[in-house]
Amino acid sequence: MTNPAGSFIWYELMSTNADASKAFYDKVVGWTIGAESVSPAQDYRMIARSDGGNAGGVLGLTQAMRDGGARPVWLGYLYTPDVDAAVAAIESDGGAVQMPAADMPGVGRIAMVTDPQGAPFYLMNPTPPPGMEGTSSDVFSVDRPQHVRWNELATTDPDAAVAFYADHFGWAQEGEMDMGPMGKYRFLQHGGVGIGAVMPTTPDAPSSQWRYYIGVDDIDRAKTAVENGGGKVVSGPHEIPG
């Protein structure tokens, strides 16, 4: 894989109803989520973009997973050449292990962790398909529809979070926007590319969590599709200068 270590290389939706998720996101974003699982061991659907690439996957949550506390959520995967070493370093730095490092045949080695403030994410060293060893992941793009275009961390301790991701993944933090009583919106860079931002948590969402902004061809069309598909618009649309 040619992506720099610390890159977002995959996104995954955990869903209690993969068929309903397919119907919703296909119309809102323009994706084609698989109608059937690609794995005999679990319900896992690939998210196909209209340009022929993949945007990530959908994991259908079993009742056992739900009984264990799993809930619908989007999670990001960070490219980590040595997953075991990263898990140990994160744990020693105050993070927690949600799923120990394990090999997934044909997929790679993965683990799920949280940062010290409790925001979950995956670590992954993928196994490229034969003949594709020199390829890179393009699930993140700053300007293309049907890709994740922004990664936003709402956290209980922005200063500590900035330091944590800089130390473990080589990210930089330059520039910020003052949001008044809500605090500062601090921009994140990786390899010179603006990948997202860190902000304080809000009273209506007090736990630390990652949020992912998905690019669409037309925000007003997508808003209508959200509403027609049974979703809820909780903010916006907003015009953000620049």
Side-chain angles (χ1 to χ4, degrees):
M1 170 162 284
T2 60
N3 298 79
S7 300
F8 280 99
I9 58 170
W10 196 251
Y11 297 96
E12 179 177 285
L13 171 64
M14 292 184 175
S15 172
T16 54
N17 188 329
D19 290 330
S21 294
K22 170 179 170 55
F24 179 80
Y25 285 99
D26 283 4
K27 291 181 179 178
V28 172
V29 183
W31 290 334
T32 301
I33 296 175
E36 297 181 355
S37 175
V38 296
S39 169
Q42 60 186 353
D43 185 1
Y44 201 90
R45 322 279 185 93
M46 302 298 284
I47 303 175
R49 304 189 307 255
S50 59
D51 65 2
N54 289 318
V58 176
L59 173 64
L61 295 174
T62 64
Q63 188 60 52
M65 293 174 182
R66 295 162 69 180
D67 291 344
R71 296 291 183 269
V73 66
W74 277 97
L75 294 171
Y77 285 64
L78 293 176
Y79 173 42
T80 311
D82 189 333
V83 172
D84 297 81
V87 168
I90 286 170
E91 197 169 22
S92 67
D93 201 16
V97 179
Q98 302 298 307
M99 186 181 78
D103 289 319
M104 298 187 68
V107 175
R109 191 161 180 82
I110 69 171
M112 186 194 295
V113 298
T114 67
D115 64 25
Q117 288 70 49
F121 58 95
Y122 279 104
L123 304 170
M124 184 179 194
N125 183 14
T127 300
M132 299 181 65
E133 291 79 7
T135 59
S136 61
S137 167
D138 67 349
V139 294
F140 173 78
S141 169
V142 297
D143 58 3
R144 283 182 284 175
Q146 299 186 22
H147 298 67
V148 169
R149 294 178 61 172
W150 194 248
N151 307 279
E152 180 181 273
L153 175 62
T155 178
T156 55
D157 191 336
D159 289 338
V162 167
F164 173 85
Y165 288 96
D167 288 344
H168 292 278
F169 301 104
W171 296 358
Q173 192 284 305
E174 294 181 10
E176 61 187 34
M177 180 172 62
D178 190 347
M179 300 187 295
M182 292 178 62
K184 294 181 178 179
Y185 195 75
R186 304 171 68 180
F187 300 114
L188 297 171
Q189 300 83 31
H190 183 238
V193 176
I195 60 170
V198 172
M199 64 177 287
T201 55
T202 55
D204 60 326
S207 61
S208 299
Q209 60 181 318
W210 279 99
R211 301 166 180 154
Y212 305 102
Y213 289 51
I214 301 168
V216 294
D217 57 349
D218 185 304
I219 196 71
D220 297 303
R221 179 206 59 75
K223 173 181 178 291
T224 299
V226 167
E227 295 167 331
N228 291 342
K232 181 180 180 180
V233 177
V234 297
S235 178
H238 301 298
E239 188 71 31
I240 301 175

